[in-house]
Amino acid sequence: MIPAARAQNLLYVSDEGANDVDVYAYPAGTRAGKLTNLAQPAGLCTDTLGDVWVVQSSSAKVTEFGHGGAKPIATLTISGARRLLGCAVDPATGNLAVTDLGNSKGGGSLWVFARAQGIPKNYRDPKISFAYFDGYDLGGNLFVDGLGRGSRFELAELPKGAGELKDIALYKSVGFPGGVHWDGKYVAIGDQDYQGRQTSGIYQISVSGSRARVKGTTPLTGSCDVVQFAFGRTGGKNGGQKNQVIGPDVCQNNVGFYQYPAGGSATKTLNGFQYPVGAALSLVK
């Protein structure tokens, strides 16, 4: 990691094919360093301190790195995990939620570490055979997407303080589950098969009780298969407003920067990846 990394806003991109996480100054996109010796790094998430959590799929571990730091400061192991994929941190409590994709027989679930430490609690939804990504809203409610019977898209919520997942009926056909994030107003859900056209997009979802409706869409024109994504801020002291979405594309082996929520073609791309999966933005405090 370059010496100046700690003083910059940083973009982290996991490259599962290379077993490392590439780090860039943001929004410039210039290389700032790399996290190495990881076991198939997949989903990424950040906490309120700017620390970055890296999901290591093939080792059932989630590892924490400080902002701009190259050495791990904590590692959590999930005994019984099948294939970890995504993660999210509750900004209010510091709870760390990790999705377990499952295997060929299903078994997808959610693991939650209270205050990102100790032994996690496991949550399962009978309708979700394969759990993909998760994300918290500002109220501490956790949303997770996945696939159920017949490869049907499923969405569930773990409400703040609840002891079990509840199903959310979404009146929209999502082709294939992608990243889940709170965009400040809506739950943003990625679709890896947007409108069945072998491209990707993001839906803005409004949730009320056990029902959800699409309030807007962001087509990532020219993309192929954006898995996870991150929201960027391109102006102001800490990056300004969330007016950019950053999407690693495992099909094209690059990372695209798109306007949000308008979407359209990428305004910039980063290249040279083998299999980019996750993205997370860590801001200077």
Side-chain angles (χ1 to χ4, degrees):
M1 202 73 66
I2 64 173
R6 294 183 186 274
Q8 302 179 59
N9 293 332
L10 298 174
L11 170 65
Y12 291 74
V13 178
S14 61
D15 190 342
E16 189 172 313
N19 288 318
D20 59 34
V21 173
D22 293 291
V23 186
Y24 300 85
Y26 181 82
T30 54
R31 188 175 291 277
K34 181 177 292 190
L35 308 178
T36 60
N37 298 317
L38 300 167
Q40 290 187 293
L44 304 175
C45 54
T46 55
D47 61 21
T48 56
L49 297 176
D51 292 349
V52 179
W53 288 93
V54 180
V55 175
Q56 300 187 68
S57 291
S58 63
S59 68
K61 294 180 179 179
V62 190
T63 302
E64 180 184 18
F65 293 84
H67 176 90
K71 296 182 178 180
I73 58 177
T75 296
L76 302 174
T77 301
I78 303 178
S79 178
R82 300 183 179 185
R83 179 173 170 76
L84 302 182
L85 182 57
C87 69
V89 179
D90 182 354
T93 64
N95 291 351
L96 173 67
V98 185
T99 56
D100 189 346
L101 179 63
N103 55 26
S104 60
K105 297 181 180 179
S109 65
L110 184 70
W111 302 86
V112 179
F113 291 88
R115 297 181 298 280
Q117 58 187 342
I119 299 174
K121 184 174 181 180
N122 187 240
Y123 298 86
R124 294 180 183 272
D125 184 331
K127 281 193 172 183
I128 297 180
S129 302
F130 302 94
Y132 279 77
F133 291 96
D134 58 346
Y136 282 97
D137 65 14
L138 293 183
N141 305 301
L142 178 66
F143 298 88
V144 57
D145 65 5
L147 292 177
R149 184 174 299 179
S151 296
R152 174 185 172 87
F153 175 84
E154 299 289 350
L155 179 65
E157 177 187 1
L158 182 64
K160 179 181 179 180
E164 61 182 19
L165 289 162
K166 73 172 186 179
D167 297 315
I168 301 294
L170 176 60
Y171 298 100
K172 179 71 177 182
S173 177
V174 177
F176 201 88
V180 179
H181 284 287
W182 177 249
D183 73 357
K185 185 176 182 180
Y186 298 113
V187 179
I189 297 178
D191 187 347
Q192 296 185 55
D193 189 23
Y194 182 65
Q195 298 181 342
R197 297 179 181 178
Q198 198 176 358
T199 188
S200 297
I202 299 170
Y203 295 104
Q204 290 81 45
I205 306 295
S206 175
V207 179
S208 178
S210 60
R211 298 184 178 184
R213 294 188 181 276
V214 174
K215 295 296 185 177
T217 60
T218 300
L220 305 182
T221 306
S223 66
C224 179
D225 191 358
V226 172
V227 185
Q228 195 190 27
F229 60 89
F231 286 125
R233 303 170 174 88
T234 57
K237 181 179 178 180
N238 282 332
Q241 299 300 311
K242 294 180 180 179
N243 56 8
Q244 189 174 73
V245 63
I246 306 157
D249 195 323
V250 300
C251 182
Q252 299 186 139
N253 298 324
N254 64 19
V255 175
F257 294 67
Y258 304 85
Q259 293 183 343
Y260 186 84
S265 299
T267 59
K268 178 170 64 176
T269 58
L270 299 176
N271 299 291
F273 304 94
Q274 293 185 33
Y275 198 83
V277 174
L281 189 64
S282 176
L283 302 179
V284 176
K285 299 301 179 181

